[in-house]
Amino acid sequence: MHQWVIIGGGIQGLTVATFLLKKNKTTINQLRIIDPNPKPLENWKRCTSTISMPYLRSPSVHHLDTEPFSLQTFSKKEHKYQPNTDFYGRYKRPSLHMFNDHCDHLIGDLDIQQAYIPSKVRHVEKADGYWNVYLQNGEVLKTEKVVIAIGISDQLHLSEWAIRLKEESSKSLYHVFDKELPPFEKQGGPFVVIGGGITATHLAIKLASLFPGEVTMLKRHSFRIHDFDSNPEWLGPKKRQPFIKLKDYEQRRNAIRFARHKGSIPAELRNKLSHLVRTKKLSMRDGTVIDYMIDSNTTQLLLDNKTSIKGSSILLATGFEQGLPGKEWLEPVIKQENLPCAKCGYPIVNHMLEWAPNLYVSGALAELEVGPIARNISGARVAANIISST
């Protein structure tokens, strides 16, 4: 019998675990964290490493630990403090290297690995006042409380033409976060990066440094420049209180959609791209792919403006499908336990992020209560603070 089972071993799940442990709401022996990856944060590290993201977009006070200035303290005490490289800009955005070191330090300090079970969830059900969590490895975990902290990172978005091209020529097109993505050196140029947001930008910058003059970035819109992917006021009552007062969940969904700066990038990344274009290391094109033609070792992408681009390797940085995460096992649970959902399919939860008694959500699943920051590190901290206050 366990006290807490957290489904999801990424940023969201580990932030909840950290808050529960550090606030003495549970012990490592009474906690289990379920995730299909072999180690905690493995998917996060794989994705950020693939695009060589040097700095996080979020400020230094957003991390997995309970104390807001934990990351800055860690930098000074444990990381051979280097103010010129550990943090960037006015918001002190942390370097990815230091952020990951801080995460690893927390994981080790709290002995998280002891509670970590690398497996997928098969089913969850309520029985005799407790929750049973059935795993694909055959284990069944009986627990008082469950937190579902899964995201949409497995739901890669591919346009209709991209699905057809992948079926026809599987080695010429990949989504950048595809787990089967081969090393860029084995793919070979010329490269076409499709997307205009922060992932596409980091990817284009990386490829232009590896293969100068062999990279084209294709985007559908002009750059949308924002420091963050939603207004920082969503962290406080100014934005959140009016949001919570909305009783219509379609209105909440629309508010989230309107608040997110989808496909936006910070100004310094736009400046880096401009420099790469000026020095002819990167080409930039506007347009939308409507079809393609395969010609020996290259693919010709046909655009809506009646032009085309040729590339040997097509890399999609087109984000994720926005549908309910964990659908294959979560939808039967919703039906069986009669869990309330909005029209968009996402959970309707109370102010304590409870979907049913002792069943909590964090991350994407909590966004109709937490708001547009729910999927971010800041949202993970908000949810963890709420859940650990129960």
Side-chain angles (χ1 to χ4, degrees):
M1 164 66 109
H2 303 289
Q3 194 172 6
W4 290 86
V5 167
I6 299 172
I7 301 171
I11 295 286
Q12 296 284 339
L14 289 193
T15 305
V16 173
T18 299
F19 274 62
L20 289 173
L21 290 165
K22 288 209 164 187
K23 288 185 169 187
N24 297 317
K25 298 293 182 177
T26 192
T27 66
I28 201 69
N29 293 327
Q30 295 175 304
L31 171 70
R32 290 294 179 269
I33 302 166
I34 316 303
D35 191 276
N37 293 288
K39 294 179 182 177
L41 293 183
E42 186 159 304
N43 198 53
W44 157 266
K45 290 179 178 179
R46 178 182 63 82
C47 291
T48 51
S49 171
T50 297
I51 60 174
S52 293
M53 180 175 77
Y55 291 92
L56 273 66
R57 192 174 189 175
S58 53
S60 62
V61 291
H62 297 166
H63 48 72
L64 277 60
D65 205 356
T66 51
E67 293 300 321
F69 295 103
S70 173
L71 195 55
Q72 291 186 39
T73 303
F74 174 79
S75 169
K76 291 173 183 175
K77 285 187 177 179
E78 309 284 346
H79 208 254
K80 298 178 182 176
Y81 182 52
Q82 300 173 43
N84 294 328
T85 56
D86 278 357
F87 299 101
Y88 179 89
R90 58 188 285 215
Y91 298 108
K92 294 185 185 292
R93 287 163 38 204
S95 73
L96 176 66
H97 175 62
M98 190 193 58
F99 179 85
N100 285 345
D101 280 355
H102 181 247
C103 292
D104 291 343
H105 178 81
L106 272 174
I107 289 166
D109 196 41
L110 296 171
D111 205 12
I112 291 291
Q113 198 67 47
Q114 182 185 322
Y116 190 84
I117 301 175
S119 183
K120 288 186 176 181
V121 170
R122 190 164 53 83
H123 188 56
V124 175
E125 68 177 7
K126 194 73 174 280
D128 301 324
Y130 297 98
W131 290 97
N132 289 326
V133 181
Y134 297 83
L135 307 184
Q136 285 192 2
N137 68 5
E139 283 189 71
V140 180
L141 304 177
K142 189 175 184 180
T143 181
E144 293 177 31
K145 300 176 182 183
V146 173
V147 182
I148 307 176
I150 57 176
I152 59 172
S153 60
D154 285 338
Q155 302 171 185
L156 307 180
H157 172 71
L158 274 71
S159 300
E160 180 272 334
W161 68 266
I163 294 170
R164 285 191 288 114
L165 176 55
K166 195 161 182 64
E167 288 172 352
E168 192 172 342
S169 180
S170 62
K171 292 184 180 178
S172 65
L173 179 140
Y174 290 94
H175 192 289
V176 65
F177 294 144
D178 191 329
K179 289 179 181 176
E180 306 303 317
L181 180 74
F184 297 124
E185 291 77 8
K186 290 189 177 180
Q187 293 183 44
F191 292 86
V192 179
V193 175
I194 298 180
I198 196 163
T199 297
T201 301
H202 282 306
L203 178 61
I205 291 169
K206 175 175 184 172
L207 288 173
S209 70
L210 293 172
F211 309 97
E214 292 189 71
V215 185
T216 300
M217 184 176 182
L218 174 65
K219 54 190 179 61
R220 292 185 301 171
H221 52 76
S222 57
F223 287 117
R224 300 163 180 166
I225 308 301
H226 295 279
D227 285 327
F228 306 110
D229 54 12
S230 61
N231 192 317
E233 290 177 343
W234 280 99
L235 287 165
K238 186 171 183 179
K239 292 284 187 184
R240 281 204 67 210
Q241 280 186 354
F243 175 77
I244 297 301
K245 286 178 182 177
L246 293 173
K247 301 305 177 190
D248 185 320
Y249 285 91
E250 280 192 79
Q251 288 182 7
R252 288 197 190 187
R253 174 56 67 198
N254 288 334
I256 291 168
R257 201 175 288 122
F258 182 75
R260 283 195 180 124
H261 304 314
K262 193 177 178 184
S264 64
I265 62 172
E268 89 272 359
L269 289 184
R270 189 262 317 269
N271 296 339
K272 281 185 182 179
L273 290 173
S274 299
H275 174 73
L276 290 170
V277 170
R278 282 196 306 273
T279 54
K280 301 190 184 306
K281 293 178 181 177
L282 175 70
S283 297
M284 197 84 69
R285 295 279 297 275
D286 288 343
T288 301
V289 179
I290 55 173
D291 210 345
Y292 63 86
M293 293 171 58
I294 297 175
D295 178 22
S296 63
N297 291 326
T298 62
T299 301
Q300 185 175 11
L301 301 176
L302 310 176
L303 309 184
D304 59 347
N305 55 16
K306 298 184 179 178
T307 63
S308 64
I309 301 175
K310 279 189 176 182
S312 294
S313 299
I314 316 298
L315 292 166
L316 304 177
T318 47
F320 308 98
E321 297 290 347
Q322 298 302 308
L324 184 76
K327 214 171 183 179
E328 67 285 347
W329 68 266
L330 196 49
E331 280 194 337
V333 177
I334 290 170
K335 190 174 181 180
Q336 180 179 307
E337 303 298 331
N338 198 26
L339 301 175
C341 295
K343 280 188 179 178
C344 60
Y346 275 64
I348 294 174
V349 299
N350 66 19
H351 70 287
M352 297 305 292
L353 304 183
E354 260 187 317
W355 202 0
N358 291 327
L359 177 67
Y360 301 87
V361 295
S362 175
L365 293 173
E367 64 188 9
L368 290 177
E369 189 67 24
V370 174
I373 63 167
R375 302 180 189 189
N376 301 340
I377 302 170
S378 57
R381 293 179 60 78
V382 169
N385 197 42
I386 292 171
I387 293 167
S388 63
S389 299
T390 58

